[in-house]
Amino acid sequence: MEALLTWLAGTPLAEWMRLSRWGYAAVNALHVLGVALLVGAIAALDLRLLGWRRRLPLAPLRRLLQPVAMAGLSLALGAGLMLFLADPTGYAAMPLFWLKLSLIALAITNALALNLGPGVEHASPRRLRLAGGLSLPLWLGALACGRFLAFV
């Protein structure tokens, strides 16, 4: 693992991330934008899964918000990988970083279990509440961990 991290740190992209003040800032801004799209869409959908605003039909809301969440996740992951390159060994040594990645993995697994299982439209109200009740704290926890990483 150490050899891989050292190799990553020596790549031209990693060097650019460390040395380019505006490059790092731009990638960081893209990461924040991705997280905002992801968490904003997921929070609204999760609140509906938990039973808030039941009069809003779930199917069209899901069709609207899931692509926004997926685009946000893709942007956040891509930019996050580039941010990681700025200090791979440093991030890999932080338990908070691993907690963040674990929460993200659990949140994605929860979403996949709901969508690949019965599907949102065919899931029971109990299953929807469970999915929303897991998703919201997992994503908010990942968001908090990511923010706290800046201060560790």
Side-chain angles (χ1 to χ4, degrees):
M1 179 68 140
E2 188 69 31
L4 174 63
L5 294 173
T6 302
W7 177 81
L8 284 172
T11 62
L13 185 56
E15 191 171 329
W16 179 77
M17 286 298 298
R18 280 191 303 278
L19 299 177
S20 175
R21 179 178 179 182
W22 291 107
Y24 185 91
V27 171
N28 197 19
L30 289 173
H31 187 65
V32 170
L33 175 61
V35 170
L37 291 170
L38 168 66
V39 175
I42 287 297
L45 185 57
D46 286 346
L47 289 171
R48 174 58 184 84
L49 294 178
L50 288 167
W52 190 59
R53 303 284 174 140
R54 285 192 178 115
R55 282 182 252 157
L56 286 174
L58 184 56
L61 188 64
R62 180 196 60 78
R63 284 193 302 273
L64 172 69
L65 295 176
Q66 276 187 336
V68 173
M70 290 188 297
L73 177 61
S74 297
L75 184 57
L77 286 175
L81 286 170
M82 290 182 68
L83 293 171
F84 176 78
L85 288 177
D87 186 14
T89 52
Y91 282 118
M94 292 183 202
L96 190 59
F97 177 73
W98 292 105
L99 176 59
K100 175 185 174 178
L101 294 184
S102 298
L103 292 171
I104 292 169
L106 288 170
I108 291 171
T109 300
N110 179 56
L112 288 173
L114 177 63
N115 285 283
L116 298 178
V120 175
E121 286 82 11
H122 302 294
S124 69
R126 182 174 184 229
R127 176 67 182 100
L128 294 175
R129 283 191 306 274
L130 176 63
L134 288 171
S135 176
L136 199 54
L138 287 170
W139 285 116
L140 293 177
L143 176 67
C145 287
R147 189 64 198 124
F148 294 157
L149 279 172
F151 301 100
V152 185

